[in-house]
Amino acid sequence: NMMVVYQHLGADTDLLETYRVAQQFSPQNLDYYRIRLIAARRERDAQEMIRIAERLKELAPHYTDEMDVIIDLTRKGAWEILDGL
């Protein structure tokens, strides 16, 4: 369980709460991926951000343009811009 790992590593309380909420959703639920995307952004985990954005494109093609922007900004390391989205 990733939450146990994060707790052990001393992750901040807000991040742990984000993962708790995400676990309530089915992996096919778009909200699950949106919450995971927020958590990955907060952790500055570029690989996870890109993986989740690609998955959202598969599940919800109408988000393709937005996810392409997120992927591009993530690859450029534009975290301050991503924080404002």
Side-chain angles (χ1 to χ4, degrees), residues 12-36:
D12 75 32
T13 318
D14 291 336
L15 180 62
L16 293 173
E17 184 59 26
T18 301
Y19 276 112
R20 280 190 193 97
V21 171
Q23 287 180 333
Q24 296 174 11
F25 296 103
S26 160
Q28 297 304 312
N29 186 312
L30 295 181
D31 289 333
Y32 170 83
Y33 287 99
R34 287 186 200 122
I35 290 169
R36 300 266 322 271

Side-chain angles (χ1 to χ4, degrees), residues 2-66:
M2 287 304 295
M3 241 171 42
V4 173
V5 172
Y6 280 109
Q7 283 175 327
H8 179 71
L9 294 174
D12 75 32
T13 318
D14 291 336
L15 180 62
L16 293 173
E17 184 59 26
T18 301
Y19 276 112
R20 280 190 193 97
V21 171
Q23 287 180 333
Q24 296 174 11
F25 296 103
S26 160
Q28 297 304 312
N29 186 312
L30 295 181
D31 289 333
Y32 170 83
Y33 287 99
R34 287 186 200 122
I35 290 169
R36 300 266 322 271
L37 196 62
I38 291 166
R41 177 189 46 81
R42 290 185 67 208
E43 287 293 301
R44 304 298 198 242
D45 186 341
Q47 183 177 351
E48 183 73 354
M49 286 276 293
I50 293 168
R51 190 183 69 74
I52 293 167
E54 292 290 354
R55 181 68 176 136
L56 275 167
K57 286 170 48 174
E58 293 171 11
L59 293 174
H62 59 280
Y63 286 137
T64 296
D65 291 341
E66 290 90 343

